Amino acid sequence: MEKDLFEILKDRVGCMHISDLSFGRDRDKVRHALTFIRLEEYSLSVLWDAIEYFHGEKPLLTSKDEAIAFLLQKGRCSGAFYV
């Protein structure tokens, strides 16, 4: 059973609630935490949810590899990580 990605991020960033991740003040911590999570262990659906939550968009991606690359690439672009 996979661990909840948002719960892991909440714990690693040190937020009390998952919704705290969306306020932006912890944007760099979230970005950093994503690089240490084995994203390949999550379903494409979970990765889509993360992309939509953090970036406000749901691009057409057909594989987990594309979704992971999108999450990590967008997270590293200055100003492009919409947390």
Side-chain angles (χ1 to χ4, degrees), residues 2-83:
E2 69 186 27
K3 295 179 182 177
D4 184 270
L5 178 59
F6 293 98
E7 285 290 334
I8 290 171
L9 285 170
K10 174 187 73 82
D11 293 342
R12 289 199 180 184
V13 171
C15 296
M16 289 190 66
H17 308 284
I18 291 171
S19 61
D20 293 341
L21 295 170
S22 68
F23 292 145
R25 69 180 182 268
D26 293 317
R27 169 181 38 211
D28 292 333
K29 290 180 183 178
V30 171
R31 187 179 0 209
H32 183 72
L34 279 170
T35 64
F36 291 98
I37 294 172
R38 298 182 66 162
L39 296 173
E40 66 277 357
E41 294 180 0
Y42 292 91
S43 69
L44 183 55
S45 176
V46 169
L47 297 172
W48 272 335
D49 289 345
I51 290 168
E52 185 174 27
Y53 187 77
F54 293 121
H55 300 290
E57 57 185 292
K58 203 157 192 173
L60 292 174
L61 303 169
T62 58
S63 73
K64 287 172 38 171
D65 289 339
E66 287 178 332
I68 291 168
F70 185 90
L71 251 179
L72 296 178
Q73 180 61 36
K74 292 285 273 193
R76 289 190 181 116
C77 295
S78 62
F81 197 83
Y82 306 120
V83 179

